[in-house]
Amino acid sequence: MNTKKISIVIVISLFIITNMTFIVIGNNGKTVNDTTFNQMNSAWPMFGHDIKHTGQSPYAPNGNYCVEKWKFNCGKVSSSPVIDNDGVIYIGSKPNEPSANFYALNNDGNEKWNFSAYWIHSSAAIANDGIIYVGSYDGNLYAFYPNGTEKWRFHTGRWVFSSPVIGDDGTIYVGSTNNKFYAINSNGTIKWSYTTGFKIYSSAAIDDNGIIYIGSHDDYLYAFYPNGTVRWRFKTDGEVKCPPSIGDDGTIYAGSWDGYLYAINQDGILKWKFNTGDATETSPSIALDGTIYVGSYNGKFFAINPDGTEKWMFRAGSGGSSGGVLSSPAIDKNGNIYVGSGDNSLYAIYPNGTAIWEYKTKGNIESSPAIGEDGTIYFGSWDGYLYAIEVIENKPPSKPAIDGPPSGKINIEHNYSFVSTDADGDEISYYIEWGDDSYTGWTRTLPSGEPLNASHIWEQRDTYSIRAKARDENGAESDWATLEVSMPKNKIINPFERFLENHPYMFPILRKIFD
């Protein structure tokens, strides 16, 4: 190759690298444009983590028990936190009194800057140039520089409940309750808009072909070409408030207030629908194996197989608008799921549907959790706080040793000691079952290795199994320990007492004699 050809190759290579676009040959021999999207490449740059709203994180906590790392008082939170590549967390809120309601926080919980914009339910989206976009109930879509300076605002005239999403060309897509869906240029000017039949609360998702999907309260899910032309719309029997999600095979998943989750092919034809039993407005999250996770107003959280059949159901709330699952789930790299509920709890759930842990707040949790690069889980609550939760490895205490008499007599008190040790040095409480349908409940806590003394009276001759387990202050429980005890003998009774028991009529006579 001569020098001129080498120079041309270098220039072309630099052009490709600069624009971050790579041409990949797929397995079918076709070229696939693998373009780096205009969202920031951070731990959690937007609602649902990515433009498909899969909820999948490349990070995970390391442990089995949660502890509060910090919490920040910011007002009632429905918004979901997002995280930039410096670890800065952005969150919107409804302040308890007129004050700031959009915050940038360092990952130690200290405030970096704030902005007042009435009430922000929308979750922010961060572009790869660091610009933060967020909607407000004052009718504006805002653009902020990373230092908190306002770049521009786009006024829609009605609430912007919708969370923005950023296309690969930098276009920002967002809905408004003025019934319109907007495409806005990165300089704040309008590119196009489309008027649906009613308010838009839903947020948009974008597939690999650049098709944009969004729901409306007119009961339709819409598919748009990037130029604003409607590709198709799909009718449900209820408002489509939830942001749609997109699977690896291009299937679009969207919930409706008619009580169904819909799976729709890319051509707009129904693939299947799943009965959630009540209205659904959470964005479905999609695991690597294709399992779809979605919550419902009835307090149920479902795992659904890719063919539309139920995999499992987890009861995460009491049901109703204040007890349902309105939070969209996050999935860590190990497949564990994190979701908030109207019963004030954030749940961590294994992929098989069993609970790992539960963290209780003092308010409903509508906010969808975000996972930081170090595994910290961030979410907001209606109790007025943004929470940062750390997950630690907590070892359970040892199986208790039970010491005491293996046999005895009924109607007499018998004393036993119970002792366990905790590898983490946590304090320990005990739960004791005496084998005759009586039990202690969880006792007071004691230092690791310090015995608990307890006594019991059995009233019937029999063989009993004492069972005991230990629990540390973080909630980890030991295995059960058992001790068999026999109560074969009656309490010894004085012969004179037995005579009186058998001849009760003698008592008045004897009393007169002794008197």
Side-chain angles (χ1 to χ4, degrees):
M1 183 180 291
N2 60 37
T3 304
K4 185 175 181 180
K5 288 183 179 179
I6 292 173
S7 299
I8 292 171
V9 169
I10 292 172
V11 169
I12 293 173
S13 300
L14 287 173
F15 176 80
I16 292 173
I17 293 170
T18 301
N19 286 274
M20 295 298 290
T21 301
F22 301 89
I23 305 301
V24 180
I25 305 299
N27 294 332
N28 57 8
K30 296 179 180 179
T31 59
V32 179
N33 287 318
D34 183 18
T35 305
T36 300
F37 286 94
N38 215 283
Q39 65 179 346
M40 179 174 282
N41 184 23
S42 62
W44 204 276
M46 62 174 297
F47 174 83
H49 180 268
D50 49 67
I51 61 173
K52 292 183 180 181
H53 300 329
T54 65
Q56 294 177 20
S57 170
Y59 307 106
N62 183 23
N64 59 2
Y65 182 76
C66 64
V67 294
E68 183 182 300
K69 193 174 182 180
W70 52 258
K71 63 181 181 179
F72 180 82
N73 189 350
C74 57
K76 295 178 180 180
V77 181
S78 296
S79 171
S80 302
V82 299
I83 309 167
D84 73 12
N85 52 19
D86 293 322
V88 176
I89 305 107
Y90 300 93
I91 189 70
S93 69
K94 180 183 181 181
N96 297 323
E97 56 186 43
S99 62
N101 66 335
F102 187 63
Y103 295 89
L105 307 174
N106 294 310
N107 59 13
D108 59 2
N110 290 316
E111 184 180 312
K112 185 177 180 183
W113 53 262
N114 65 63
F115 184 85
S116 295
Y118 183 41
W119 178 11
I120 292 181
H121 184 286
S122 168
S123 301
I126 312 172
N128 61 13
D129 59 0
I131 303 299
I132 306 109
Y133 302 99
V134 69
S136 171
Y137 267 51
D138 65 11
N140 291 311
L141 175 72
Y142 289 92
F144 296 102
Y145 291 104
N147 64 3
T149 303
E150 183 181 330
K151 182 181 180 183
W152 51 255
R153 66 179 69 180
F154 179 89
H155 191 63
T156 70
R158 291 285 292 172
W159 300 344
V160 182
F161 190 95
S162 174
S163 299
V165 64
I166 308 168
D168 62 348
D169 63 352
T171 302
I172 305 103
Y173 299 98
V174 72
S176 172
T177 56
N178 68 355
N179 306 356
K180 290 185 177 182
F181 180 49
Y182 291 94
I184 303 167
N185 295 307
S186 58
N187 62 3
T189 59
I190 189 168
K191 188 173 184 178
W192 54 259
S193 69
Y194 180 90
T195 303
T196 69
F198 204 43
K199 300 174 182 178
I200 297 177
Y201 287 85
S202 174
S203 305
I206 307 174
D207 71 12
D208 291 335
N209 299 312
I211 305 299
I212 310 107
Y213 304 91
I214 194 166
S216 171
H217 268 44
D218 65 4
D219 300 353
Y220 284 94
L221 176 73
Y222 289 83
F224 292 93
Y225 289 106
N227 64 4
T229 304
V230 175
R231 185 183 185 193
W232 51 256
R233 61 178 189 166
F234 180 90
K235 178 75 166 61
T236 74
D237 292 323
E239 296 96 330
V240 183
K241 188 176 181 181
C242 84
S245 303
I246 304 168
D248 284 342
D249 63 354
T251 302
I252 304 99
Y253 301 98
S256 170
W257 277 18
D258 65 7
Y260 284 92
L261 174 72
Y262 291 86
I264 304 163
N265 291 308
Q266 288 177 303
D267 58 5
I269 303 300
L270 179 67
K271 189 174 183 180
W272 51 255
K273 65 179 183 177
F274 178 88
N275 188 350
T276 61
D278 206 339
T280 298
E281 64 177 61
T282 65
S283 180
S285 293
I286 308 166
L288 287 173
D289 65 357
T291 302
I292 305 104
Y293 299 108
V294 70
S296 175
Y297 262 63
N298 57 16
K300 294 179 179 179
F301 182 67
F302 294 94
I304 304 166
N305 293 307
D307 63 0
T309 58
E310 182 177 316
K311 190 173 185 178
W312 49 257
M313 185 276 291
F314 181 88
R315 169 65 74 174
S318 55
S321 60
S322 61
V325 181
L326 307 184
S327 167
S328 299
I331 308 170
D332 71 21
K333 71 174 182 180
N334 299 320
N336 298 324
I337 310 108
Y338 307 88
V339 66
S341 172
D343 66 357
N344 303 352
S345 291
L346 180 78
Y347 292 94
I349 307 169
Y350 286 117
N352 64 6
T354 59
I356 308 172
W357 49 258
E358 174 186 356
Y359 184 86
K360 202 81 174 174
T361 73
K362 295 181 180 179
N364 296 346
I365 301 175
E366 298 179 11
S367 173
S368 302
I371 303 172
E373 191 170 342
D374 62 355
T376 301
I377 300 166
Y378 302 95
F379 69 95
S381 169
W382 272 69
D383 66 6
Y385 288 93
L386 172 72
Y387 288 86
I389 300 298
E390 182 180 11
V391 182
I392 62 172
E393 188 65 37
N394 181 42
K395 298 181 180 66
S398 64
K399 185 165 66 173
I402 307 174
D403 186 34
S407 63
K409 301 168 184 176
I410 63 171
N411 299 316
I412 292 178
E413 189 173 76
H414 297 78
N415 297 315
Y416 294 87
S417 69
F418 305 83
V419 64
S420 172
T421 56
D422 187 84
D424 302 316
D426 297 330
E427 292 199 338
I428 297 171
S429 60
Y430 297 86
Y431 190 99
I432 305 165
E433 295 178 352
W434 295 107
D436 58 356
D437 296 328
S438 60
Y439 52 90
T440 62
W442 288 107
T443 67
R444 63 189 175 92
T445 59
L446 293 168
S448 172
E450 183 174 316
L452 172 79
N453 297 315
S455 60
H456 189 66
I457 297 173
W458 288 272
E459 297 177 349
Q460 301 291 330
R461 287 181 292 176
D462 205 343
T463 298
Y464 298 94
S465 179
I466 301 175
R467 297 206 316 156
K469 63 179 175 178
R471 181 177 70 182
D472 68 19
E473 58 191 279
N474 293 321
E477 298 181 7
S478 71
D479 294 329
W480 286 98
T482 59
L483 175 66
E484 298 291 325
V485 296
S486 177
M487 295 290 137
K489 298 178 182 179
N490 289 322
K491 177 182 177 183
I492 296 174
I493 300 177
N494 186 290
F496 185 67
E497 291 179 354
R498 186 179 298 279
F499 173 79
L500 291 178
E501 285 180 1
N502 294 331
H503 303 86
Y505 59 87
M506 291 295 295
F507 183 75
I509 299 172
L510 291 172
R511 183 175 180 182
K512 281 191 174 185
I513 292 172
F514 286 114
D515 285 344

